[in-house]
Amino acid sequence: MRIVLIGFGTVAQGLAELLLSHLENGALDISDWRVVGISDTLKGSAYHEGGLPLRRVLDMVGCGQSLSSVADWGTPWNALTMIEHADADVVVEATYTDIETARPALDHVRAAIERGMHVATTNKGPLALAAKELTKLAAEHHVSLRYEGTVMAGTPLLNLIRGPLAGSRITEMRGILNGTTNYVLSRMEEGLDYSGALAEAQELGYAEAVPNADVLGHDALAKVAILAATVFGASIPLAEIPCRGITGITREKVARAAASGRRHKLLGRVWRENDRVRASVGPELIGREHPLAAVHGAGNAMTVVTEALGEVTIVGPGAGRRETGFALLNDLIHIQNHR
Amino acid sequence: MRIVLIGFGTVAQGLAELLLSHLENGALDISDWRVVGISDTLKGSAYHEGGLPLRRVLDMVGCGQSLSSVADWGTPWNALTMIEHADADVVVEATYTDIETARPALDHVRAAIERGMHVATTNKGPLALAAKELTKLAAEHHVSLRYEGTVMAGTPLLNLIRGPLAGSRITEMRGILNGTTNYVLSRMEEGLDYSGALAEAQELGYAEAVPNADVLGHDALAKVAILAATVFGASIPLAEIPCRGITGITREKVARAAASGRRHKLLGRVWRENDRVRASVGPELIGREHPLAAVHGAGNAMTVVTEALGEVTIVGPGAGRRETGFALLNDLIHIQNHR
């Protein structure tokens, strides 16, 4: 299986490290996998039909050297040129997320599918804005489109729904989809005020300097849209999903909730109501005895409500280099098993 | 896909109801599935190549009528005769569990595999005692052996491990595998003493009149052996796994644990230690902030520790007619997709 990596930031490097580790210890049979191309606007581009030397590539990128500078396999190709010219089976799209336009990732995913290549991506943009269109396009071209890492990083929520929970009839999903806000709320329960907890999250690298995407709920919103499309086949414009963040939660509210045995959690929610699919993002009060209430710090969790099983909850990491890289690895395993 | 049901108790009836429901609403494409044979020592036997009328079968069994009495498709066949004579693709083994000898279920599973039929089972006996032998036998005969319902009922733990978590390198699993004891411990935290909590569990139908299999840890022990075989390929005799139940837990111990922010949980555990696979069952103290501590009442949960993701925890039902029937349905879906 020949793989092209579009975008070679943290997540794609996490994948490359996992691939190297598995190639070395042989626990997973991926000996015929080759990363033949890499294209990154900052780190340069490389292409070699026989496969690129991943260890050396990682070392170069670690030292700030451009991949394009290598005589044997450096290229000047940008992402789209790489997708057009590479002789490959799968494109991994892991460039930055733009939740307004989904560009340029959306163009990359479309181009790859139209060339008949499978796609694995961690990029929330294309799926939050165009999951339905892309799923249809992939079906028309008989290729797989996998995006486990767009929701809950490598915690296998989407694969759980599509595989082991198939046939259980999902009626609702609700969960903690943003680790930064969950960290802030957890620390507020321990006595910090909002700005103190947020500053701490920023120091730890959980929150950006401009934390709006997290604290206003926009990150969770994108994931909720992806779930609506994946679980219920519903294409809901982001602007139509009610979305509140955690900026209105005060230390006093947190203390009052605790006194009544409850916790504030920023919940993303998708459910069926009569014939419509509805979705929302906002802080909700949860009884302390529910599994979602037990998710502390930067963790993520999702409760899937099914007719056959009642509630099933999965708890796991929601971010991280290796954790999100693993989502791509699992997508690639699925593509290999089903192509 | 032609299916034979060996054992038609609660779980197999739960499966039959799910099949009927899916055949009626068409959400799942199982229109070419047929239950062609049923054999149960109490409820009688039936066989019809074109498929048995499930609604009528369920009604008859509900009214205590023997299936063998129907002229068109009643038969005198016992389980082994059914397996030998039925023209079928899959055998569902759901007779009673015998954890000492695994009989007669072990004979049913062996016979089905040797006739080249796939097997889906909820019976812990054959898997706890002979998972390695049966897995090998199934591979030799190129058939699937699926047993999702032997651990955590329909909560898809085994399918999660075999599918979405493949490649994450599991180093340890620990969890709550017995709902009865978890119910008793939960109620003891609320102030009941051991015998009061147990009596309540018996009234609710969670615990048997002779509750030894639950309270001494034997039920969890069988599941731990199944996990050791499934996850690590290790065949550990039950007698070699340290096993303690909850009979030594007093209300005072529970109160002391609560005062220090911890909870007693009966944990089944499997892990790698150097080159060995180890396992244990026994009560352990868990910090109140861990997802396993948030499992109350008769629920089950498992924390899977992986190199790629750290801890991933799945929480869900551990028993129930429909819940365990769903495990079989999911096994059948898997068999259909992979045969």
Side-chain angles (χ1 to χ4, degrees):
Chain A
M1 192 159 76
R2 294 152 306 167
I3 302 161
V4 160
L5 308 180
I6 302 297
F8 198 60
T10 305
V11 168
Q13 290 174 42
L15 170 65
E17 284 158 10
L18 280 171
L19 290 176
L20 265 178
S21 150
H22 277 292
L23 287 168
E24 279 160 11
N25 75 18
L28 202 65
D29 185 16
I30 60 168
S31 55
D32 68 334
W33 291 15
R34 300 278 179 275
V35 174
V36 296
I38 296 175
S39 174
D40 186 282
T41 47
L42 298 173
K43 297 171 187 85
S45 287
Y47 181 74
H48 191 279
E49 284 181 5
L52 296 165
L54 285 182
R55 175 72 61 201
R56 189 171 158 207
V57 163
L58 284 165
D59 288 345
M60 284 184 67
V61 168
C63 301
Q65 293 173 277
S66 169
L67 299 178
S68 300
S69 67
V70 178
D72 286 352
W73 33 263
T75 84
W77 294 350
N78 67 16
L80 282 175
T81 318
M82 177 68 75
I83 294 167
E84 286 304 322
H85 289 82
D87 191 8
D89 307 293
V90 190
V91 166
V92 171
E93 156 54 54
T95 64
Y96 61 93
T97 289
D98 179 323
I99 210 61
E100 306 285 330
T101 66
R103 294 244 147 62
L106 184 55
D107 303 318
H108 302 160
V109 173
R110 279 198 192 116
I113 293 175
E114 282 165 357
R115 270 208 71 202
M117 296 194 278
H118 306 284
V119 172
T121 183
T122 52
N123 198 311
K124 291 184 286 291
L127 278 305
L129 299 188
K132 213 165 172 176
E133 176 217 320
L134 294 175
T135 303
K136 186 162 167 275
L137 195 65
E140 284 166 9
H141 288 81
H142 308 289
V143 298
S144 290
L145 169 64
R146 307 292 294 186
Y147 47 90
E148 178 63 70
T150 59
V151 184
M152 288 180 78
T155 306
L157 174 67
L158 300 183
N159 286 329
L160 183 69
I161 292 165
R162 299 205 248 206
L165 285 179
S168 66
R169 280 199 214 130
I170 295 168
T171 55
E172 179 178 350
M173 302 183 66
R174 56 173 184 274
I176 297 163
L177 291 168
N178 180 270
T180 306
T181 47
N182 201 61
Y183 181 85
V184 169
L185 292 173
S186 297
R187 292 296 283 146
M188 286 173 77
E189 271 187 41
E190 291 161 19
L192 270 63
D193 65 7
Y194 173 75
S195 56
L198 179 60
E200 200 180 85
Q202 286 167 323
E203 268 168 46
L204 288 168
Y206 295 147
E208 308 280 331
V210 179
N212 289 354
D214 291 327
V215 299
L216 297 180
H218 298 164
D219 173 68
L221 179 67
K223 294 167 179 170
V224 155
I226 294 172
L227 291 177
T230 306
V231 179
F232 296 122
S235 181
I236 313 180
L238 295 187
E240 292 178 16
I241 301 176
C243 178
R244 282 183 307 129
I246 62 163
T247 51
I249 308 287
T250 59
R251 188 162 48 174
E252 290 67 36
K253 283 188 184 172
V254 168
R256 268 204 305 279
S260 68
R262 295 184 296 172
R263 290 195 167 122
H264 290 278
K265 292 290 181 190
L266 183 68
L267 293 195
R269 211 185 254 274
V270 197
W271 70 99
R272 275 190 205 282
E273 197 173 278
N274 303 322
D275 285 347
R276 284 186 57 199
V277 176
R278 309 223 18 215
S280 71
V281 172
E284 298 192 30
L285 281 168
I286 303 182
R288 208 187 281 144
E289 304 297 275
H290 191 276
L292 290 178
V295 180
H296 303 282
N300 276 200
M302 179 60 64
T303 296
V304 187
V305 187
T306 71
E307 282 182 20
L309 297 172
E311 292 193 358
V312 172
T313 301
I314 185 165
V315 185
R321 175 191 186 95
R322 191 187 49 184
E323 291 82 350
T324 315
F326 172 74
L328 290 171
L329 175 65
N330 201 279
D331 284 344
L332 292 173
I333 293 171
H334 185 277
I335 288 169
Q336 152 141 311
N337 290 344
H338 291 82
R339 74 197 172 112
Chain B
M1 193 159 77
R2 295 152 305 168
I3 302 162
V4 160
L5 308 180
I6 302 298
F8 198 60
T10 305
V11 168
Q13 290 174 43
L15 170 65
E17 285 158 8
L18 281 171
L19 291 176
L20 265 177
S21 151
H22 278 291
L23 286 168
E24 280 160 12
N25 75 17
L28 201 66
D29 184 17
I30 60 167
S31 55
D32 69 333
W33 292 15
R34 300 279 180 275
V35 174
V36 296
I38 295 175
S39 174
D40 186 282
T41 47
L42 298 173
K43 296 168 187 86
S45 287
Y47 181 74
H48 191 279
E49 284 181 3
L52 296 165
L54 284 183
R55 175 72 61 201
R56 189 172 160 209
V57 163
L58 284 165
D59 288 345
M60 285 185 66
V61 168
C63 301
Q65 294 173 277
S66 170
L67 300 178
S68 300
S69 66
V70 179
D72 286 352
W73 33 262
T75 83
W77 294 349
N78 67 14
L80 281 176
T81 316
M82 177 69 74
I83 294 167
E84 286 304 321
H85 289 82
D87 191 9
D89 307 293
V90 190
V91 166
V92 171
E93 155 58 51
T95 64
Y96 60 94
T97 289
D98 179 323
I99 210 62
E100 306 284 329
T101 67
R103 295 243 147 63
L106 183 55
D107 303 319
H108 302 160
V109 173
R110 278 198 192 117
I113 293 174
E114 282 166 356
R115 269 209 73 202
M117 295 192 279
H118 305 284
V119 172
T121 183
T122 52
N123 198 312
K124 291 184 287 292
L127 279 305
L129 299 188
K132 212 164 173 178
E133 175 217 320
L134 294 174
T135 304
K136 187 162 166 274
L137 194 65
E140 284 166 8
H141 288 81
H142 308 288
V143 298
S144 290
L145 169 64
R146 307 292 294 187
Y147 47 91
E148 179 63 68
T150 57
V151 184
M152 288 179 77
T155 306
L157 174 68
L158 300 183
N159 286 331
L160 183 69
I161 292 166
R162 299 204 249 207
L165 285 179
S168 66
R169 281 199 215 131
I170 295 168
T171 54
E172 178 177 352
M173 303 182 67
R174 57 172 184 273
I176 297 164
L177 292 168
N178 181 272
T180 307
T181 46
N182 201 61
Y183 181 85
V184 169
L185 292 173
S186 297
R187 292 296 282 144
M188 286 174 76
E189 271 187 40
E190 290 160 22
L192 270 63
D193 65 7
Y194 173 75
S195 56
L198 180 60
E200 201 180 86
Q202 286 167 323
E203 269 168 46
L204 288 167
Y206 295 148
E208 307 281 331
V210 180
N212 290 353
D214 291 325
V215 300
L216 298 180
H218 298 164
D219 173 68
L221 177 68
K223 293 166 180 170
V224 155
I226 294 171
L227 291 177
T230 306
V231 180
F232 296 123
S235 181
I236 313 182
L238 295 187
E240 292 179 15
I241 300 177
C243 178
R244 281 182 308 129
I246 62 162
T247 50
I249 309 288
T250 60
R251 188 159 50 171
E252 290 67 36
K253 282 188 185 173
V254 169
R256 267 204 305 280
S260 68
R262 295 184 296 171
R263 288 193 168 121
H264 290 277
K265 292 289 181 192
L266 182 68
L267 292 194
R269 210 184 253 274
V270 197
W271 70 99
R272 275 190 205 282
E273 197 173 278
N274 302 322
D275 285 347
R276 284 186 57 198
V277 176
R278 309 224 16 214
S280 71
V281 172
E284 298 192 30
L285 281 168
I286 303 183
R288 210 188 279 144
E289 304 297 276
H290 192 276
L292 289 178
V295 180
H296 303 282
N300 277 199
M302 178 61 64
T303 295
V304 186
V305 187
T306 71
E307 282 181 21
L309 297 173
E311 292 193 359
V312 171
T313 301
I314 184 165
V315 185
R321 175 190 185 95
R322 192 186 50 184
E323 290 83 350
T324 314
F326 173 74
L328 290 171
L329 175 65
N330 201 279
D331 284 343
L332 292 174
I333 293 170
H334 186 278
I335 288 169
Q336 153 141 310
N337 290 344
H338 291 84
R339 75 197 171 112

